[in-house]
Structure formats: C-alpha cells, structure tokens
Amino acid sequence: MSRRYTITLISRLRVPRRCSSSTSISPLSRSWSPRDAFAAATERVRAGTLSPEDAHNLFDELLRQGTPVPERSLNGFLAALARATSSTACIKDGPALALALFNRVCREEASPQVAVPTVCTYSVLMDCCCRARRPDLGLALFGCILRTGLKIDQITANTLLKCLCYAKQTEEAVYVLLHRMSELSCVPDAFAYNIDLKSLCKGSRSQRAHDLLRTMAKDRGGCFPDVVTYTTVIHGFFKEGETGKACNLFHEMIHQGVEPDVATYNSVIDALCKARAMDKAEVVLQQMVDKGVQPDTVTYTCMINGYSTSGRLKEAAKMFREMKSRGLIPDIVTCNSFLASICKHGTSKEAAEFFDAMTAKGHEPNIVSYRILLHGYATEGCFPDMIDVFNSMESNGIAADCHVFNILIDAYAKRGMMDEAMLISSKMQERRVNPDVVTYSSIIAGLSRLGRLTEAMEKFNQMIALGVQPNKAVYHALIQGFCIDGDLAKAKQLVSEMMNRGIPRPNISFFSSVIKSLCQEGRVMDAHDIFDLVIDMGERPDGILFNSLIDGYCLVGKMDKALKVLDVMESVGVEPDVFTYSTLVNGYCRNGRIDDGLTLFREMPRKRIKPDTVSYRVIMVGLFRAGRTVAARKMFHEMIESGTMVDIFTYNIILGGLCRNNCADEAIALFQKLRAMNVKFDITTLNTMINAMYNVQRKEEAKDLFATISASGLVPNESTYRVMIKNLLEEGSVEKADSMFSLMDKSGIAPSSRLLNDIIRMLLEKGEIAKAGNYLSKVDGKSISLEASTTSLMLSLFSREGKYREDMKLLPAKYQFFDGLC
C-alpha cells in the first residue's frame, strides 16, 4: 500500500498550525546524529519544554540535510507526543501534532529519507487517533496494516480493541477479544480484557463486564483477572447503584488472593460515602490501612466529602488533620466541599474563617469557593458580608461570572429588596456579563411577589428581545403574580403562551399553592375565581385543590360555602378524605359551632373515613375551648381505645386543656403518670406543667421540674423563662427573677417584647422602680417597644399626683419626659 493513502487518512484530522515562536530550537548541529536529535526532542516533550514550532523545525532540518530518519527513534518521539495531551504548557494536543509530523515525513518527496513504517509505527499512530478522538481513523490505519501484510503483535491487537471501544463498538471489541485474537496470532492478555471491561462499564453494562470477567477467569490461556480487572468492574457496579454486587465482587477478589490496591479501596469508600454509610466507610478505611495500603488524596477527599454532606463537620475536620499529618495536601475540590458543608450545616461566619484559613495555607480559592461563600451569606441574609466577599473577588483576580451575579440578585429578590437586585443587575451589564434565564427568573419573581407586574413584564419582554428563552419558572412567577393581583385574563393568556412555546402548563399543585396563599390572606373569593379558572382551562380539580378552598372558607367563617364546596367535590367524583373532614371540623370549632363539629366528626365513620390523630386533636381542642372538659376527656379515651396513635402534640393538648379549665391537679397527675411510662416530652409540655404547678401553689415541684430540663435532653426556650420569671416576680422573688433573666441572656435567648413589657409592669406595680428602669433601658423601639398598657401604667404612676412621681429620676433619661406630660 502506498504512503499516499496513509497521508490521505491522517490529513482528515485537524492538526495544530505552525506558528512563530521566540523559543524555537536551533538547527541540528552537524555533530548530532538524527538519533541524538530525536532523543533530545523526546526528553523535551516529557519535560514539557518542546513547542509545536520546535518539532516542525527539527523535521525541517532533517529533511533539508537529507538525513535518514531512524524508524525506532521516530516511533519513540511520536509515542512521547501521543502522551503529551494537555500535560504541558507548550503542547496542547500532542496526538494531533504527532500525526501532522508523520504526515510530513511520509510525503513522496521525503520517502528516501524515512524508513518504511513498521507495525510499531502504526500502533503509535492508531493510539494517537484514539487520543485525538478519531478512532475511525485508527481503524482505517489497522486496515493499512492488514493490506501491507505486516505481522500484528500483541500491542497492536490491544490498540485495535482500544479503537473499537473508543468508536463505541464495544461488542465488536469483545468479539475480537474472544474469537479473532487467535487468528491474528495473539493471545488475549489482562490488558486486552481490561480495555473491553472498562468500555462495558463506561457504557453502564457492568453485568456484561462481570460475565466477561467470569469468562476470563475460566480461560485456560493462563490470563487471570488482576487488581485492575476487579477494580474496573467493582467501580462499574457502584456507578450503576448495584452496591450489593460490587461488595460481593470486592470480597470475592480478596478470596481469590487478589489484593485490592488504593484505587480499589477508593472506589468502595467513595460509593459508601456517597450513600452516607460513613460507619462502613470507616471500617473499609481501617481495613485498607491494616493491609498496608496507604490512603491517598482521593481517599481522604471521599471521606471528607462524605462527612461534609452528612453534616458531620467535626469528623470532616478530623479527616483534614489526619490527611495533613500524612503529608497529603487537600485540593481545592475537597476544600470547597467542606466549605459548602459548613455553610449548609454551620454558619457563614465559620465558613468565612475556613475560607480565610484556606487562603493563608496556600489554597487559592477559585470561583467555586467564592460562589459557595456568597451563597452562604445570601441564605442567612448577611448582605454586607456578601457584598464584601463579592468586592474582594476582583481584587484577587477572579472575575465574577453569571452564576455569581445570580446568587446576589436572587438573594436580594427573595427578601423583596428589588432596588438592590436591580443595582447588581446594572453592575452585571457594566462588566459585560450576559444575564441568563436564571437571572431574569429571579428578577421577575421578585417583582411579581411585590405586585410590580408592569416592571416584571418589561423584564419579560426584554429577555425575549435579547434571545433568552423564558422557562417554566419565569411563567409560573408571572402567572402567580397576575392571579394574586386578580388579573386572571392575563394569567390565562400567559398559560396559553407558555403552552405555545412547548412548556407544560402549570399543574394542579401550582394552582393549589396559589389558592392556599390567597385563603391564608382571607381572600377566599379571589381563590374561588382561580378555582373556576382551573376548571375553565380544562383541568380536573383534585382533592388537594378542593381541600385548599374548603380550608379558606373555614378560615373566614363561611361554613355554609365550605359545605357547598364539599357537595361539588362529591358530585364530580372526588372522594373527601380525612383531611377534608378534619378541616371542616376545625372550621366549626374555630367558629364556636362545637355541636356541628361533633356531628360532622361522628359522620366520618359512616363515610368510611377513620378519624386520625389530627382529627382527634382538632375536636379535643374545640371541646376544651368550649369548656366541655368532660367531653374532651371522653374523646381522649375513645382515641386510645380506637388504636389511633397518640403523639406528644396530643398529650400537650390534653394537659394544656385541663390546665386552662381549672383542672391543674388532674393535669399534674396525668403528667406524672405519663412520666412513669417514659413518654418523651417536649419543652412545651414542661412549660405547661411548670406554670400549672405554680398556679396551684406547688412551687417547689415547679422549680424541681425546671431543674430537670437539661437532664431530660431538652433546652429551655423563651416561653420557659417567661413562665419562671413571671411566677418568681409574683411571689416577690425579684432577685431570683433577675438571675433567671441573666441565665436566659447567657443562653443566647433574646427576650421578646412581650416578656420585657410583662417584667416592667410587674416591677413597677411592686414599686421596684430602679429595677424596672434597668429593663426599660433594653427597649430599643425597634424589635422591642413599649406596649400601650405599659405606657398607660407609667403615665399613671409618674404623673404629678402619681404614686412614684419622686422616683422618676431612677428611670433612664429618655423616660423622664413623663413629668412634663402629666
């Protein structure tokens, strides 16, 4: 076969152009042989200092001098180039360059100076074609080998398998491996099997790979599965979610005497970490160390990622320390994973500290690092810190991309800060970063939520004009906005428009959420209009939609209309469920129609609807609210006898209801009985019982119960401290109340405006003016302000005829104006 055919094949591949270079190598010294020149060039390829221009200059000189090119030296040089893909700063595409150079030396005019290509040369070129993602040319070159009659060796046969696999002809590769290798006078080796196994697993055909592994193990040719074979199939099974098969093969591997290497252990550990089975991952890690296999960066990265995504920050930090103690340096991917976990499970402040520590230790944050930290601050609403990080990006040489701007815009939009969001959008345009559909979606959604629908539509039209196609999220935001605004005609128009664009129209769940939102605002008639719109669009309302509308009418006390919706629901074949009836019963109870609620509750079994825990809770709340304690007790016993689950919320209803209906002693007895049964209480239960004990003068029991809160695994909340402080003040223990307030403050619990007003009034009524002044100093007029009853009391006490007029000077200066008002 002529060389011209080979040249024609290779010329189909795009190759690097020659370009000027200031670092070109000088022409060959006359004292250098071609072998020496190729050896030096090969070393420069491996060192990453040979540029494409240098390679072309070398060949120019050889061809100019008419020096014969040794086949072995040429092959070694081409093979080095083939492996130089993206590994050096000078050569970006080594395989394509190797093919281009071979194309030059094979020209007709150069033929006397170049040895005839051998099977080794063709193997190198076939490998280059695979690496250059042109396996079809590699297969054509194999055809050249067959035409020339060259004897195929094992390496060439394996390269043929590689070309077939790269060309996604894996089944042909398996056929060649099992049936045609012998015809080529080659015996399949482990490397050949591993090529096919890797391709099968990459194509999500790990079971087929496992079958091939079995064939390999049974082969009498002396080729047995090695560690690479097992690791490839194990990794394939894990990738496809076949964890059981992967683990079985891992144990079989060890049983067959094939010792897992670091890659095998990493595959197992990575899969276990992704499944958040960290305890099992720890066992495998320890087994790895015990077997003398040293964990590498990948091992620790998997463990750190696993702990991080599971929210186990302490264990992740421990792995960081252990990793460094072994001399391994976490890469930026590992650091970013840990940073993201801190933002998700910790605080942005902790994340910022880790971010700073990364930088201090030489881990330069990349744009992903900045995105993670920005998202953390955005989620917490720490906008000044968010902007500081954003501004620091440019000073550190990292340009903000569309994703970064989207984080900032979305953060402001979700908080209703649209002016700030629009300012960031302007900065985005100034830096010539093009907005995408996510950018517009955030802005349009934010404007729609605020009812600024004209501006939202302007942005919508702008995005279309710029060629940014709106998606489902954009349409949903606008449709919801117009629905809430009452412009159902525009909403319907947008629904039609999105369908014309091939976007599925909003489903029932979407409209249910809109109806629920309107009902919670008391806009039931508007909600009913949307309900009618859904029917008009040809949708069939489901139980959730009907229940949302029923709940809306119940909330505004229109029970007759709620029942009419129930009738419509049944007439169209939608069966009411336990939620429907619980909603109606709750509506009757909230509106003081307890008897109607009981009647409906008793109707449920006749409708083959069994009351659940929520149903019983609703009716018992209604009975206690109506003062029908005996009936509520009976309902509780009925609930137990029916086998319905009684949870802590139900117990809280019973205990609280008894206490509010002057049955505190009975509530305490029931509480003690439940305590003996080891019922797990929550803090609400204990707050209720502490208050009840104080109310019936069982003060020591109340104090003892408060003291046991921590031992019960619970944490006092603001309500707990309010109960204790108010009762201590009522009994005259002012100093103890002060101590309790200090304890609350040290626990990091901010007092509510209601609690401070209660304390101030109680202290003023007891004549503790100076102490009341101390609490008045905590009133900031923002989160905490004086209630009308507190102000009225102060006016009466510090007026000219007031009881404590002379003690007004003990108050903070800003409250001494009472003297001038009275």
Side-chain angles (χ1 to χ4, degrees):
M1 188 194 75
S2 69
R3 289 175 180 163
R4 184 179 299 280
Y5 183 72
T6 307
I7 294 168
T8 302
L9 284 173
I10 295 173
S11 65
R12 295 178 190 171
L13 187 71
R14 287 189 176 183
V15 295
R17 295 182 178 180
R18 296 181 61 176
C19 57
S20 59
S21 173
S22 59
T23 58
S24 298
I25 60 173
S26 58
L28 283 172
S29 168
R30 292 189 179 184
S31 61
W32 274 32
S33 68
R35 181 174 298 172
D36 292 336
F38 273 113
T42 301
E43 286 303 314
R44 288 188 62 186
V45 170
R46 290 169 181 160
T49 59
L50 184 80
S51 68
E53 183 68 16
D54 293 337
H56 280 287
N57 285 345
L58 169 63
F59 276 78
D60 284 341
E61 187 68 14
L62 287 171
L63 297 175
R64 187 180 63 78
Q65 292 184 6
T67 309
V69 179
E71 172 262 331
R72 189 167 185 177
S73 299
L74 175 64
N75 290 345
F77 178 61
L78 294 177
L81 283 175
R83 290 165 175 77
T85 305
S86 69
S87 62
T88 72
C90 294
I91 298 176
K92 299 301 180 184
D93 196 347
L97 178 59
L99 291 166
L101 295 175
F102 182 77
N103 193 21
R104 291 190 61 204
V105 299
C106 281
R107 288 174 186 157
E108 291 294 338
E109 63 268 26
S111 58
Q113 299 150 238
V114 184
V116 177
T118 65
V119 70
C120 179
T121 313
Y122 281 114
S123 293
V124 172
L125 294 174
M126 287 170 66
D127 184 55
C128 286
C129 290
C130 287
R131 294 173 185 270
R133 298 191 180 120
R134 287 300 305 270
D136 55 324
L137 297 183
L139 295 173
L141 284 169
F142 183 76
C144 294
I145 298 174
L146 295 177
R147 290 186 181 91
T148 56
L150 293 171
K151 184 180 179 181
I152 297 171
D153 60 10
Q154 188 69 49
I155 294 175
T156 309
N158 290 348
T159 308
L160 169 63
L161 296 177
K162 186 176 177 182
C163 286
L164 287 168
C165 290
Y166 271 59
K168 296 184 179 179
Q169 300 179 33
T170 308
E171 278 304 323
E172 289 83 348
V174 174
Y175 179 78
V176 170
L177 173 73
L178 298 178
H179 304 292
R180 299 297 301 274
M181 291 278 275
S182 57
E183 296 177 16
L184 300 172
S185 302
C186 298
V187 178
D189 57 8
F191 188 78
Y193 273 101
N194 291 340
I195 290 171
D196 282 4
L197 289 169
K198 181 180 178 181
S199 183
L200 286 168
C201 291
K202 187 177 180 181
S204 300
R205 300 176 63 196
S206 298
Q207 185 57 53
R208 178 77 174 89
H210 187 253
D211 296 339
L212 184 59
L213 185 149
R214 289 276 176 263
T215 302
M216 180 183 182
K218 293 176 183 177
D219 187 14
R220 297 180 180 178
C223 175
F224 298 102
D226 60 10
V227 64
V228 176
T229 311
Y230 278 107
T231 301
T232 300
V233 182
I234 287 168
H235 182 72
F237 275 136
F238 275 130
K239 194 173 75 170
E240 293 177 38
E242 297 283 359
T243 306
K245 291 180 180 179
C247 291
N248 289 339
L249 192 58
F250 177 69
H251 295 306
E252 177 191 314
M253 171 187 186
I254 297 172
H255 181 71
Q256 292 294 332
V258 180
E259 290 296 329
D261 62 6
V262 66
T264 319
Y265 280 112
N266 286 346
S267 184
V268 177
I269 289 171
D270 181 51
L272 293 172
C273 289
K274 285 177 179 175
R276 300 192 180 183
M278 296 310 299
D279 293 341
K280 293 180 180 179
E282 288 170 5
V283 171
V284 176
L285 177 62
Q286 188 58 51
Q287 179 185 340
M288 178 182 185
V289 174
D290 293 342
K291 290 283 187 179
V293 181
Q294 293 302 314
D296 61 6
T297 303
V298 176
T299 318
Y300 282 105
T301 298
C302 292
M303 293 297 294
I304 291 166
N305 288 348
Y307 282 128
S308 297
T309 53
S310 300
R312 298 168 64 177
L313 300 185
K314 290 183 179 179
E315 289 88 342
K318 179 184 175 184
M319 279 293 156
F320 260 109
R321 291 191 294 271
E322 185 178 322
M323 182 179 187
K324 292 176 183 177
S325 69
R326 290 180 178 270
L328 300 171
I329 301 174
D331 60 16
I332 192 63
V333 175
T334 309
C335 293
N336 285 345
S337 174
F338 188 53
L339 182 66
S341 183
I342 297 174
C343 287
K344 184 177 180 181
H345 301 285
T347 65
S348 296
K349 182 181 178 182
E350 293 171 314
E353 289 171 358
F354 179 76
F355 184 90
D356 294 338
M358 277 172 57
T359 308
K361 293 177 182 178
H363 298 292
E364 286 298 324
N366 59 13
I367 194 164
V368 177
S369 314
Y370 280 100
R371 287 176 192 161
I372 292 168
L373 190 56
L374 286 168
H375 188 270
Y377 279 131
T379 303
E380 292 182 10
C382 301
F383 296 129
D385 294 319
M386 180 181 75
I387 294 301
D388 286 344
V389 172
F390 173 71
N391 292 334
S392 71
M393 289 180 67
E394 188 173 358
S395 60
N396 290 324
I398 296 180
D401 61 4
C402 185
H403 194 163
V404 169
F405 281 107
N406 287 346
I407 291 170
L408 305 185
I409 290 169
D410 190 59
Y412 283 125
K414 281 181 176 175
R415 300 294 178 104
M417 303 167 67
M418 290 311 301
D419 291 340
E420 290 82 353
M422 300 304 286
L423 181 62
I424 296 295
S425 178
S426 299
K427 287 185 179 179
M428 188 177 185
Q429 293 173 10
E430 288 171 10
R431 299 190 186 184
R432 297 183 179 180
V433 177
N434 294 323
D436 61 8
V437 67
V438 177
T439 319
Y440 282 107
S441 179
S442 296
I443 294 172
I444 290 170
L447 291 169
S448 298
R449 281 192 294 268
L450 295 176
R452 294 162 63 175
L453 295 169
T454 302
E455 295 171 76
M457 285 304 298
E458 287 174 1
K459 286 294 177 183
F460 177 74
N461 294 328
Q462 182 188 91
M463 73 182 290
I464 294 173
L466 292 174
V468 181
Q469 294 303 311
N471 60 9
K472 183 172 74 172
V474 172
Y475 276 108
H476 278 199
L478 287 169
I479 292 167
Q480 182 169 351
F482 281 109
C483 282
I484 291 173
D485 193 55
D487 191 347
L488 299 188
K490 184 63 177 177
K492 191 174 180 180
Q493 178 190 331
L494 287 166
V495 170
S496 299
E497 185 180 318
M498 72 185 292
M499 291 174 65
N500 291 336
R501 289 180 177 271
I503 303 171
R505 67 185 178 190
N507 57 22
I508 290 294
S509 298
F510 169 80
F511 286 108
S512 293
S513 67
V514 176
I515 287 173
K516 184 177 181 180
S517 176
L518 288 169
C519 288
Q520 287 173 344
E521 294 177 15
R523 297 169 57 188
V524 189
M525 295 308 297
D526 291 334
H528 206 136
D529 289 340
I530 294 173
F531 180 86
D532 293 336
L533 172 66
V534 172
I535 296 172
D536 188 46
M537 286 167 49
E539 290 283 355
R540 184 174 183 270
D542 61 3
I544 297 173
L545 199 65
F546 277 109
N547 288 340
S548 298
L549 193 56
I550 288 170
D551 187 43
Y553 279 120
C554 290
L555 286 172
V556 296
K558 295 183 178 180
M559 297 305 301
D560 293 341
K561 290 195 174 183
L563 288 175
K564 285 181 181 179
V565 176
L566 176 65
D567 292 338
V568 173
M569 182 179 186
E570 292 177 319
S571 68
V572 297
V574 179
E575 290 294 328
D577 56 13
V578 67
F579 183 84
T580 313
Y581 276 92
S582 296
T583 301
L584 286 164
V585 171
N586 187 43
Y588 279 127
C589 293
R590 286 168 62 92
N591 289 283
R593 296 170 62 178
I594 186 65
D595 289 326
D596 291 328
L598 277 169
T599 301
L600 195 60
F601 183 85
R602 295 303 179 196
E603 186 183 320
M604 290 174 69
R606 291 195 292 272
K607 293 280 188 176
R608 296 182 180 179
I609 298 173
K610 183 182 178 182
D612 62 5
T613 304
V614 175
S615 309
Y616 277 105
R617 278 195 222 146
V618 165
I619 196 67
M620 284 189 289
V621 167
L623 289 167
F624 277 123
R625 189 182 290 133
R628 295 163 70 165
T629 309
V630 175
R633 282 198 210 98
K634 287 181 180 179
M635 191 63 71
F636 178 56
H637 291 304
E638 178 186 317
M639 179 183 183
I640 295 170
E641 290 169 4
S642 69
T644 306
M645 185 187 71
V646 181
D647 57 12
I648 188 59
F649 301 106
T650 310
Y651 285 125
N652 287 343
I653 288 168
I654 297 297
L655 294 170
L658 290 171
C659 292
R660 283 191 297 274
N661 284 275
N662 300 317
C663 299
D665 287 321
E666 184 181 345
I668 294 168
L670 176 60
F671 170 74
Q672 291 171 342
K673 181 181 177 181
L674 295 174
R675 204 175 187 185
M677 293 165 57
N678 293 320
V679 172
K680 190 173 179 63
F681 299 116
D682 62 11
I683 193 63
T684 302
T685 319
L686 300 191
N687 292 347
T688 300
M689 298 320 300
I690 290 169
N691 196 46
M693 290 171 180
Y694 268 115
N695 287 342
V696 293
Q697 302 304 308
R698 295 165 71 167
K699 298 178 182 179
E700 292 306 315
E701 290 180 65
K703 292 172 184 177
D704 291 342
L705 184 57
F706 175 80
T708 64
I709 289 177
S710 297
S712 302
L714 300 172
V715 179
N717 58 17
E718 202 257 1
S719 297
T720 317
Y721 287 107
R722 181 168 63 248
V723 167
M724 291 300 296
I725 291 169
K726 287 182 67 176
N727 280 290
L728 287 169
L729 287 174
E730 282 179 2
E731 70 178 29
S733 303
V734 177
E735 295 299 329
K736 289 182 180 179
D738 267 348
S739 299
M740 189 64 67
F741 187 89
S742 298
L743 181 61
M744 180 181 74
D745 191 44
K746 289 176 183 177
S747 300
I749 299 173
S752 65
S753 185
R754 176 187 169 189
L755 174 58
L756 276 175
N757 276 273
D758 286 343
I759 294 172
I760 292 167
R761 284 195 300 269
M762 293 179 79
L763 288 170
L764 289 174
E765 288 166 354
K766 290 182 177 296
E768 296 283 351
I769 310 303
K771 287 192 179 295
N774 291 336
Y775 288 98
L776 277 167
S777 64
K778 301 178 187 297
V779 176
D780 56 11
K782 296 176 183 177
S783 60
I784 299 173
S785 57
L786 288 182
E787 296 173 358
S789 56
T790 309
T791 305
S792 176
L793 178 64
M794 292 177 70
L795 283 169
S796 64
L797 292 177
F798 299 110
S799 64
R800 287 187 175 86
E801 291 83 22
K803 186 176 179 182
Y804 299 114
R805 182 176 181 278
E806 297 302 322
D807 296 321
M808 189 186 299
K809 59 181 178 295
L810 299 175
L811 299 179
K814 63 180 178 179
Y815 294 106
Q816 294 183 19
F817 67 89
F818 281 104
D819 185 38
L821 293 175
C822 305

